[in-house]
């Protein structure tokens, strides 16, 4: 990441909106934002391959669900946050992965300019590619600041997206089981 470019851009942005970037409260802002972006965009260019490759052999045949994984991402259309919960499931195919690694997988794809639909798909695809389960299902529910603090202003409204792969595809029984496990 190029911190100098970010600092220049933020200074220009502040000038552009009619602010004085040299006034006391804003002086350190370009520097602060550059440091913050290091963290909130740390998923750029990364994949979940490393976390998802740490697996253990297992006879488990039933779906594993990790629910209520809190995530924060940035809408790529407005560079405003969207945030909420991810629910991730997979059906093991001889191997299971450490549960914290599922949260890590969500994080890798969340920490970049994103849209929720694509984030959902990328998490499901990463599970299929690196963990190689019989199937994977991902549901994301999130509030988008670009919806709630501007434009149509609907605080509390949630966008829900889902992706199904492998055994979950066109299998209403498995999908229902997932939703029951997430809601209990
Ligand atoms: Zn947006």
């Amino acid at each position: 990441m190029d911190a100098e470019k970010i600092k220049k851009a933020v200074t220009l942005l502040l000038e552009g909106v009619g602010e004085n970037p040299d006034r006391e409260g804003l002086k350190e802002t370009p520097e602060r934002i550059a440091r913050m972006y290091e963290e909130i965009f740390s998923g750029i260019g990364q994949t979940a391959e490393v976390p998802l490759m740490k697996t253990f052999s297992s006879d488990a045949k039933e779906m594993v669900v990790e629910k209520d994984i809190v995530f924060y991402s940035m809408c790529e259309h407005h560079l405003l946050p969207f945030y909420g919960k991810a629910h991730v499931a997979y059906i093991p195919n001889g191997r299971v992965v450490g549960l914290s690694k599922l949260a890590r997988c969500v994080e890798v794809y969340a920490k970049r300019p994103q849209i929720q639909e694509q984030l959902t798909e990328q998490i499901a695809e990463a599970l299929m590619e690196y963990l190689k389960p019989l199937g994977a299902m991902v549901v994301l529910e999130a509030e988008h600041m670009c919806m709630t603090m501007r434009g149509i202003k609907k605080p509390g409204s949630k966008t829900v997206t889902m992706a199904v792969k492998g055994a979950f595809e066109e299998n209403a029984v498995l999908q229902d089981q997932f939703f029951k496990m997430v809601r209990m």
Side-chain angles (χ1 to χ4, degrees):
M1 212 169 282
D2 188 333
E4 285 312 308
K5 262 193 181 165
I6 298 169
K7 282 195 256 177
K8 268 187 217 158
V10 173
T11 304
L12 273 177
L13 186 114
L14 289 168
E15 285 172 7
V17 299
E19 263 291 358
N20 170 15
D22 293 323
R23 74 175 171 82
E24 202 190 339
L26 292 176
K27 243 186 183 156
E28 307 293 323
T29 297
E31 170 78 36
R32 270 191 295 264
I33 291 187
R35 276 201 307 270
M36 179 179 73
Y37 278 5
E38 287 271 347
E39 183 185 339
I40 65 181
F41 290 136
S42 60
I44 293 173
Q46 308 286 316
T47 73
E49 182 171 7
V50 173
L52 291 181
M53 294 266 279
K54 293 207 177 88
T55 57
F56 312 94
S57 68
S58 165
D59 296 333
K61 293 271 183 290
E62 297 296 327
M63 93 173 63
V64 177
V65 179
E66 187 70 9
K67 66 175 184 174
D68 297 335
I69 301 169
V70 174
F71 74 88
Y72 297 87
S73 189
M74 288 284 264
C75 154
E76 67 185 24
H77 299 145
H78 301 95
L79 289 187
L80 283 172
F82 67 96
Y83 54 93
K85 287 172 179 172
H87 314 293
V88 175
Y90 70 95
I91 301 172
N93 187 15
R95 303 199 69 80
V96 294
V97 69
L99 295 176
S100 68
K101 304 296 189 266
L102 296 174
R104 180 75 191 120
C105 172
V106 171
E107 192 176 80
V108 164
Y109 297 101
K111 292 198 165 187
R112 61 183 68 183
Q114 248 316 357
I115 61 172
Q116 186 178 332
E117 296 87 334
Q118 180 174 273
L119 174 59
T120 314
E121 192 66 21
Q122 285 174 342
I123 297 164
E125 272 173 11
L127 288 168
M128 292 305 285
E129 187 175 347
Y130 303 126
L131 184 57
K132 305 199 189 311
L134 297 175
M137 181 161 173
V138 178
V139 170
L140 262 51
E141 41 183 314
E143 184 167 337
H144 291 244
M145 292 305 286
C146 60
M147 293 267 291
T148 55
M149 69 180 282
R150 59 169 283 282
I152 58 169
K153 294 194 180 73
K154 289 266 182 268
S157 72
K158 295 246 172 81
T159 304
V160 182
T161 48
M162 78 173 209
V164 289
K165 303 281 173 195
F168 284 96
E169 286 176 54
E170 293 170 30
N171 188 326
V173 175
L174 277 179
Q175 293 181 20
D176 281 353
Q177 192 187 344
F178 169 91
F179 284 118
K180 273 191 193 126
M181 289 172 80
V182 165
R183 296 297 162 211
M184 70 191 187

